[in-house]
Amino acid sequence: MSIDEGTAARVAKLARIKVEPGDLPVLAKEFNTILGFIDQLSEVDVEGVEPMTSVTPMRLKRREDVVTDGSQQDKVLANAPDAREGFFAVPKVVE
């Protein structure tokens, strides 16, 4: 694929980058260099290579997934300016 000056101008406009008309040939050449590098990557044989999430092999720490109530109701409500019957008490806002 080859990028011409018109396509380079359109990409610059879509990216909201102001490019002077005299700089369009240089921009088009840079785009073509980048696309050439991407074409080189398609030549690499990746058959049998596992996808990676990191460059260093690691496993995430796992814990048992247990549903609890937190057992901290008293501590949480201690910060409330007004708490009643185990809940936050707030002023009425709708009449």
Side-chain angles (χ1 to χ4, degrees), residues 64-76:
E64 187 176 341
D65 189 14
V66 179
V67 178
T68 66
D69 63 355
S71 302
Q72 298 183 12
Q73 182 180 13
D74 295 334
K75 292 179 184 177
V76 172

Side-chain angles (χ1 to χ4, degrees), residues 1 29-43:
M1 179 177 193
K29 183 178 178 185
E30 288 179 9
F31 283 151
N32 285 320
T33 303
I34 293 168
L35 291 175
F37 179 70
I38 292 171
D39 283 341
Q40 285 180 358
L41 291 176
S42 67
E43 296 173 5

Side-chain angles (χ1 to χ4, degrees), residues 30-95:
E30 288 179 9
F31 283 151
N32 285 320
T33 303
I34 293 168
L35 291 175
F37 179 70
I38 292 171
D39 283 341
Q40 285 180 358
L41 291 176
S42 67
E43 296 173 5
V44 176
D45 181 23
V46 293
E47 188 69 32
V49 177
E50 293 288 325
M52 298 182 350
T53 57
S54 174
V55 294
T56 56
M58 62 172 56
R59 272 184 72 89
L60 295 175
K61 296 178 182 175
R62 299 178 187 261
R63 62 176 171 80
E64 187 176 341
D65 189 14
V66 179
V67 178
T68 66
D69 63 355
S71 302
Q72 298 183 12
Q73 182 180 13
D74 295 334
K75 292 179 184 177
V76 172
L77 291 176
N79 294 323
D82 187 11
R84 297 182 202 148
E85 301 176 16
F87 297 99
F88 290 103
V90 295
K92 184 176 180 180
V93 294
V94 179
E95 292 190 33

Side-chain angles (χ1 to χ4, degrees), residues 1-13 17 19-37:
M1 179 177 193
S2 180
I3 302 289
D4 60 353
E5 292 178 27
T7 306
R10 185 162 189 265
V11 169
K13 181 180 178 185
I17 300 172
V19 178
E20 298 297 326
D23 294 334
L24 286 174
V26 175
L27 183 62
K29 183 178 178 185
E30 288 179 9
F31 283 151
N32 285 320
T33 303
I34 293 168
L35 291 175
F37 179 70

